[in-house]
Amino acid sequence: MRRRRFLRGVGGGLGTAAGVAVGGRASTRRVAAHPGPYEPYGSIDVEGAKEAVVDPDGDVAYLATTTGYATVDVSAPDRPELLADVRDPLSDREDGPLRGIFDAKLDAADPTTFVVAGPANPRRGAISGILVVDVSDPARPEEVAFHATEFPVHNCFVRDGLAYLTGNDGGRNPIVIVDLGTGTEVGRWSVTDVADAWAAVPSGLRSVHDVYVAGDTAFVALWDAGTWLLDVSDPADPTVRGRVDVPDPEPLADLSESAVRRRATLPPGNHHYVATDESGTLLGVGRESWGRRIEDDATATPAADVAANDSGPTPGTAAPVSAAPDAEFVGGPSGIDLWDVSDPAAPVPLSTIPAPATPDPTYGGVWTTAHNFELSGGVLYSSWYRGGVKRHDVSDPGAPEELSWWRDPEAASFWSARLAAPGERDGFFVASSWGVDDVPAGLYTFPDHAGEQADPPGVLPSGTATPRPRYDTATVTPERSEPTTAPEPGVDGGISAPGFGVAAAVGGVALATWRLLRRAEKRE
């Protein structure tokens, strides 16, 4: 049996039966920063934990939990306490319950409104959309509305009563803006609106994976189509303000199936997650990728496709790594790029924070590539799956400085990192883990101060940030979830999670078919 998590939390997931666990609020006392080695303040098991967000007071964390959602009192970070664990929401509906819940967000302007999105990926015959929940009392969440969609909802952002949804439909793959009060669509935007050439690109290479809104600008991560900056001052008519690492679409449209598959796994990685600091001028772009054994890559990819798909290494990306002296790889995990977007029309690359090294960078190996993060107060809080969680000082974004790093690859695979309360003395951040093997998923709390982990795993040497020269185009990589037994990426014909680009790059027809079936079922 694998080594269990060294800290066990109180409470835990309540299984898959519908229900709510209700508890009282813990003390608001915060622990002082502990001396000695850097380590978590505490942790709590929450079955199926995925994305986590925190209320502005830093007292309650809200989690998407795959089959539902949960609230956790973190006001005493060394003693996190489960407040509510809701499973199988909308189970009373004919096509319910809502499943595949990987993302959930608080309204950035109204933290009493919580939006639960799903399914993250297509599920034939399943309900899809966003569930609006009143969390005025986080121990007793009240579901107030559900707005159905014709597409799965992998990720979302919520602000001022508007939900910005990833609308991957296997065709245009738009961002869809929905009014939470009425459920009506306010507006939408697709890269295919910009130029006809984008419509010829396989839909999986221009899947909209995530969206972040700062001020009146929406930052949209579009896999191999780069990151697009949209003016959403009029949500009914989003327009392009700028673009980051957006390539020429015509070469993408000409790729063979084998080249698409290769592009979907190797660095420099897809545009997977985006977020800005408080000013909206420092943008982080998280990419996600893996490696391939050289012999597998040579066998699977004709030389002509490699030549057509490779334009040389991208500055700031991870170098190839090896799992053993007799195992050599191409590619590897990707990191987080920092950009100055004070002029949206002319973004400037500043630096790249590389991913931790891994003993096995393949899709079926040990994942250490970038996942979700937050920029706040001049600090980057980042998650790297089994590569752990990190804090970087990015007050000088051209030269980020690693402040702390904690990892336990046998017990935790981190999905997100979110600041709860700033400050070296009593501040902390939370990080959700979706578990490893027999170690359950859950939520960790970490100090918001610098420090070094005692006896860290030696298989993950520390990376250092590297200056990043400006470049105009890049090849990027779609992303998949870490399976128990990993198939060859892209061969199952479906779309998986947390991202779905690997299979979607060659499985757009399957998604379009799912969409048509959903419409037919609703008509029936």
Side-chain angles (χ1 to χ4, degrees):
M1 178 175 290
R2 297 296 295 273
R3 178 162 53 89
R4 307 297 291 187
R5 184 184 304 173
F6 78 97
L7 283 174
R8 304 295 299 200
V10 298
L14 300 183
T16 58
V20 179
V22 179
R25 297 294 298 276
S27 166
T28 57
R29 178 184 67 83
R30 302 198 190 283
V31 298
H34 53 69
Y38 189 85
E39 62 185 9
Y41 280 140
S43 68
I44 183 171
D45 294 345
V46 182
E47 181 181 338
K50 296 293 194 299
E51 179 66 341
V53 293
V54 187
D55 72 350
D57 294 329
D59 289 336
V60 180
Y62 298 81
L63 285 83
T65 61
T66 310
T67 60
Y69 56 94
T71 62
V72 177
D73 186 340
V74 293
S75 59
D78 58 340
R79 301 184 305 279
E81 180 180 352
L82 188 70
L83 295 174
D85 191 345
V86 180
R87 299 290 165 169
D88 297 324
L90 306 178
S91 58
D92 57 339
R93 296 196 174 217
E94 182 178 355
D95 49 358
L98 186 64
R99 293 286 193 180
I101 299 169
F102 290 8
D103 195 38
K105 294 294 196 310
L106 290 170
D107 188 318
D110 175 15
T112 66
T113 299
F114 183 51
V115 173
V116 178
N121 305 302
R123 298 173 68 96
R124 182 175 177 181
I127 192 172
S128 60
I130 53 172
L131 177 63
V132 184
V133 184
D134 182 343
V135 289
S136 300
D137 181 353
R140 295 171 177 81
E142 180 183 355
E143 297 171 3
V144 297
F146 177 72
H147 305 310
T149 61
E150 294 289 344
F151 45 81
V153 184
H154 196 78
N155 285 307
C156 66
F157 191 91
V158 185
R159 180 173 176 173
D160 295 321
L162 297 177
Y164 298 76
L165 310 179
T166 57
N168 292 292
D169 56 10
R172 297 178 65 247
N173 292 348
I175 279 288
V176 180
I177 306 172
V178 173
D179 186 303
L180 292 183
T182 64
T184 57
E185 180 179 315
V186 175
R188 63 171 55 200
W189 176 89
S190 167
V191 71
T192 61
D193 298 331
V194 177
D196 292 340
W198 283 109
V201 175
S203 64
L205 294 183
R206 51 177 173 77
S207 298
V208 52
H209 186 270
D210 221 323
V211 57
Y212 185 91
V213 181
D216 57 7
T217 302
F219 299 82
V220 184
L222 277 173
W223 297 106
D224 285 64
T227 292
W228 293 72
L229 283 59
L230 305 181
D231 183 341
V232 291
S233 55
D234 178 4
D237 185 28
T239 56
V240 176
R241 267 191 175 155
R243 25 188 123 180
V244 170
D245 280 359
V246 173
D248 181 351
E250 292 186 1
L252 297 181
D254 292 337
L255 292 177
S256 68
E257 181 175 309
S258 61
V260 169
R261 288 172 183 257
R262 186 177 192 272
R263 191 182 185 94
T265 54
L266 297 184
N270 64 292
H271 287 229
H272 166 270
Y273 186 82
V274 288
T276 72
D277 66 353
E278 300 90 333
S279 71
T281 62
L282 177 62
L283 172 68
V285 177
R287 303 170 181 260
E288 194 162 44
S289 68
W290 298 267
R292 290 174 66 98
R293 288 179 173 81
I294 289 176
E295 61 271 23
D296 295 338
D297 189 60
T299 301
T301 309
D305 282 339
V306 175
N309 197 34
D310 288 350
S311 57
T314 299
T317 59
V321 295
S322 295
D326 58 348
E328 294 184 348
F329 301 90
V330 292
S334 290
I336 299 172
D337 301 332
L338 298 179
W339 291 77
D340 178 351
V341 291
S342 53
D343 180 358
V348 178
L350 300 172
S351 63
T352 292
I353 296 171
T358 168
D360 183 355
T362 64
Y363 175 74
V366 179
W367 291 23
T368 63
T369 191
H371 209 244
N372 298 352
F373 57 85
E374 181 173 4
L375 284 161
S376 182
V379 177
L380 170 66
Y381 303 84
S382 56
S383 63
W384 305 87
Y385 290 113
R386 292 170 73 179
V389 290
K390 293 190 175 190
R391 295 170 60 258
H392 282 84
D393 181 345
V394 292
S395 55
D396 177 1
E401 178 186 358
E402 183 178 297
L403 301 174
S404 57
W405 178 20
W406 188 90
R407 66 275 193 192
D408 185 353
E410 292 187 2
S413 182
F414 288 103
W415 185 281
S416 64
R418 300 281 184 177
L419 177 65
E424 292 187 1
R425 177 170 175 78
D426 58 4
F428 68 102
F429 71 98
V430 304
S432 56
S433 166
W434 59 334
V436 178
D437 295 336
D438 67 329
V439 182
L443 185 75
Y444 286 72
T445 58
F446 289 92
D448 188 30
H449 64 67
E452 294 185 6
Q453 180 180 1
D455 300 321
V459 296
L460 300 170
S462 177
T464 56
T466 55
R468 184 173 181 205
R470 179 166 185 163
Y471 58 96
D472 297 321
T473 61
T475 55
V476 292
T477 304
E479 159 277 334
R480 291 278 302 232
S481 65
E482 181 176 16
T484 303
T485 302
E488 176 69 13
V491 302
D492 61 355
I495 296 180
S496 188
F500 37 74
V502 174
V506 293
V509 173
L511 182 53
T513 301
W514 173 86
R515 180 164 49 95
L516 293 173
L517 287 171
R518 288 279 293 126
R519 290 178 177 173
E521 288 164 357
K522 294 191 73 172
R523 285 197 299 270
E524 292 172 0

